[in-house]
Amino acid sequence: MTLVAGVDSSTQSCKVVVLDAETGKLVRGGRAGHPDGTEVHPDHWWQALSEAFDDAGGLADVSALSVGGQQHGMVLLDHAGNVVRPALLWNDTRSAAAAAALTDEVGADDFARRTGLVPVASFTITKIRWVRDHEPDLADRVAAVALPHDWLTWRLRGYGPAASSPLGPDLDQLTTDRSDASGTGYWSPSSGDYDLELFKLAFGRDAREATGNAGPGDSGTVILPRVLSPGEAAGEIHPVCFGSPAELPGAAGSGTLASGPRILLGAGAGDNAAAALGLGAKVGDVVVSVGTSGTVFSVASQAVADPSGTVAGFADASGEYLPIAVTLNAARVLSSVAGILGVDFDELSRLALEAEPGAGGVVLVPYFEGERTPNLPHAKASFHGLSIASSTRSNLARAAIEGMLCGLSGGLDSLRAQGSPATRLLLIGGAVQNPAVQAIAAQVFDLPVVVPSPGEYVARGAAVQAAWTHCGNRPAWPVAVDAAPAPDFHPEIQQNYLRASRHIDPGD
């Protein structure tokens, strides 16, 4: 049996899965935690990766591995391969003013045309502008800018600071993939190239793409990771990449890698693109992920450029495109209303299923944390349509689930408005195991709904990429399905929601 491994280095934790390359069956897995915060030194990710490998029983029998990672995080390196400052993560908002400034300088239409994006604080380009403006001494030291999965892949290959890596600080060995590059704000999904003029506008210095060969030395030009094609190998894991002794964590007792088989490294991917690979998503599939926030993304055959910024026109990890819309309010809508009603999630589900579709006219517009889709950062949540007769616990419970799903449906409407095809909806995330969420999704979305079994789909997608790199073609592993609720579309649910949302106070 040939084994491949996938890594999900997310904001909260590092997860590793080891799968059968032929069938995709899970053999074993491991995990380790990351520190909290919106800026984190990458060394914490490196340590967590080591611990997760140990927890997964090591890699001595693995043939290929790939890393999926949180998007947009800014990793700055100096010429000696040292991290210049803690990485600013996607959820660090200090660069909001930088995002506005870049949009003003370039124009939203031009930015969207060139990169598929309109700057917001999450994107890397806004973070490098912030460093330029607020930490100029550190900015002067920067020799390369990478993303979290780029840095981990580089370190796994044996590169890094001379004192702690076998191959030293060869910055021209930095690699990335098209999905993660497309979240920087200075790479074009349409052309497949970096927009070096935008990088210079943001950071004030020239940049170039890494060559994969020994670099020309200190020229003052910032190096950006070389963008690999789907299925292309980044290299191999170096047997001493975690330092002495010459074996990877977890390999003790099962053989050292110094004399064992080579472990290929795939290109890696951004987290949403890796999840799409893990789900086997194809053109026309829409993935709705219900977590703390909500994401709605589809696989499309054409690049998307939305000057409103509602839809981010990312590339995917298979050669297609991955337009995405994000809502700030998702699973926490359910926990908030469950708290108001004094019930747990099981009771919330039971109550919601007691009510009729439309919740007797009760509508929750769930902007508890403001909202990003639509862009109403200062708005608040509100119930509408309450009367003596309609103000029941069951109607309030159902209105919570309908409101959350209608908010996500707005993201789907935005994707469709940009021309993205939508033929099937894959519903993932912890909250979708709630029976009422599954049933009501079939009433809110005018698409066939499928609920895949719970799983680590980002790590699984990275393992798909590892198998692709090892075998030469993308595997077609089956995806287990927990539920496929019968289509039961009730257009009045969305109609009532849209009427109520038109009256929302945008706030200060």
Side-chain angles (χ1 to χ4, degrees):
M1 179 177 9
T2 299
L3 299 182
V4 294
V7 174
D8 173 12
S9 182
S10 71
T11 313
Q12 294 85 14
S13 64
C14 180
K15 288 152 279 191
V16 176
V17 296
V18 177
L19 306 178
D20 180 342
E22 183 176 352
T23 65
K25 182 180 178 181
L26 177 66
V27 176
R28 60 183 189 268
R31 65 179 295 140
H34 287 161
D36 293 333
T38 63
E39 64 172 1
V40 174
H41 197 287
D43 284 351
H44 291 292
W45 305 332
W46 188 237
Q47 180 62 33
L49 186 65
S50 170
E51 293 172 3
F53 284 161
D54 276 336
D55 195 41
L59 301 180
D61 53 353
V62 168
S63 296
L65 178 142
S66 193
V67 179
Q70 54 178 303
Q71 288 193 268
H72 316 309
M74 178 192 68
V75 181
L76 304 179
L77 302 173
D78 65 16
H79 287 283
N82 299 302
V83 174
V84 171
R85 70 170 326 281
L88 295 182
L89 307 187
W90 64 274
N91 55 352
D92 191 294
T93 60
R94 73 186 71 182
S95 60
L102 286 165
T103 304
D104 288 343
E105 291 164 20
V106 178
D109 287 355
D110 198 33
F111 230 116
R113 178 184 59 81
R114 294 167 69 172
T115 68
L117 310 175
V118 177
V120 294
S122 57
F123 299 146
T124 316
I125 192 169
T126 71
K127 301 177 190 306
I128 62 171
R129 167 59 71 86
W130 185 89
V131 170
R132 187 201 78 173
D133 290 345
H134 293 85
E135 299 176 341
D137 291 343
L138 293 182
D140 289 343
R141 291 177 48 200
V142 172
V145 180
L147 301 168
H149 110 256
D150 310 342
W151 184 82
L152 287 169
T153 300
W154 186 64
R155 294 302 313 274
L156 282 169
R157 293 172 60 205
Y159 300 102
S164 59
S165 65
L167 299 181
D170 187 349
L171 300 177
D172 263 291
Q173 296 298 330
L174 283 164
T175 61
T176 190
D177 89 303
R178 62 196 300 272
S179 71
D180 224 358
S182 68
T184 60
Y186 44 82
W187 188 84
S188 169
S190 297
S191 71
D193 297 316
Y194 284 110
D195 191 320
L196 299 178
E197 290 183 0
L198 282 178
F199 182 92
K200 185 174 183 178
L201 175 70
F203 200 53
R205 290 171 55 192
D206 290 322
R208 64 173 177 85
E209 186 171 355
T211 64
N213 301 309
D218 184 1
S219 63
T221 300
V222 178
I223 295 175
L224 305 176
R226 182 166 59 98
V227 182
L228 303 178
S229 302
E232 184 177 356
E236 298 179 12
I237 291 182
H238 195 285
V240 217
C241 67
F242 282 95
S244 184
E247 58 186 21
L248 287 174
S254 57
T256 68
L257 293 173
S259 59
R262 63 195 293 231
I263 300 179
L264 280 175
L265 264 174
D271 50 7
N272 289 307
L277 285 181
L279 289 162
K282 302 292 178 60
V283 172
D285 283 337
V286 176
V287 179
V288 173
S289 177
V290 185
T292 303
S293 60
T295 57
V296 184
F297 58 88
S298 65
V299 181
S301 56
Q302 300 292 326
V304 167
D306 177 11
S308 77
T310 301
V311 175
F314 295 161
D316 82 343
S318 75
E320 304 288 357
Y321 300 90
L322 203 77
I324 183 170
V326 178
T327 67
L328 297 181
N329 299 278
R332 287 183 295 184
V333 174
L334 306 189
S335 59
S336 295
V337 175
I340 292 170
L341 296 175
V343 299
D344 60 16
F345 284 121
D346 289 340
E347 180 65 7
L348 185 78
S349 177
R350 188 193 67 78
L351 286 170
L353 292 174
E354 284 183 350
E356 294 295 320
V362 178
V363 176
L364 172 63
V365 181
Y367 299 162
F368 288 94
E369 301 293 331
E371 191 46 83
R372 177 172 166 181
T373 305
N375 185 24
L376 295 168
H378 305 295
K380 302 300 179 188
S382 54
F383 277 102
H384 300 256
L386 294 172
S387 67
I388 295 297
S390 68
S391 298
T392 67
R393 290 161 57 81
S394 295
N395 282 337
L396 293 174
R398 176 175 270 272
I401 296 174
E402 289 182 347
M404 178 192 74
L405 292 173
C406 283
L408 291 163
S409 181
L412 173 57
D413 291 342
S414 297
L415 295 185
R416 282 172 156 161
Q418 293 300 316
S420 295
T423 57
R424 182 179 68 148
L425 189 140
L426 302 170
L427 196 61
I428 63 172
V432 308
Q433 300 311 306
N434 185 305
V437 172
Q438 295 177 7
I440 295 171
Q443 298 170 343
V444 169
F445 294 102
D446 187 16
L447 285 176
V449 173
V450 174
V451 183
S453 298
E456 299 292 351
Y457 284 105
V458 174
R460 177 184 168 90
V464 167
Q465 195 179 57
W468 191 347
T469 302
H470 182 264
C471 302
N473 48 62
R474 178 180 176 179
W477 295 336
V479 176
V481 172
D482 267 7
D488 188 24
F489 182 51
H490 284 256
E492 70 275 11
I493 297 175
Q494 288 194 46
Q495 291 165 3
N496 291 344
Y497 180 86
L498 289 173
R499 279 195 293 270
S501 63
R502 292 192 189 104
H503 301 290
I504 293 298
D505 183 349
D508 297 327

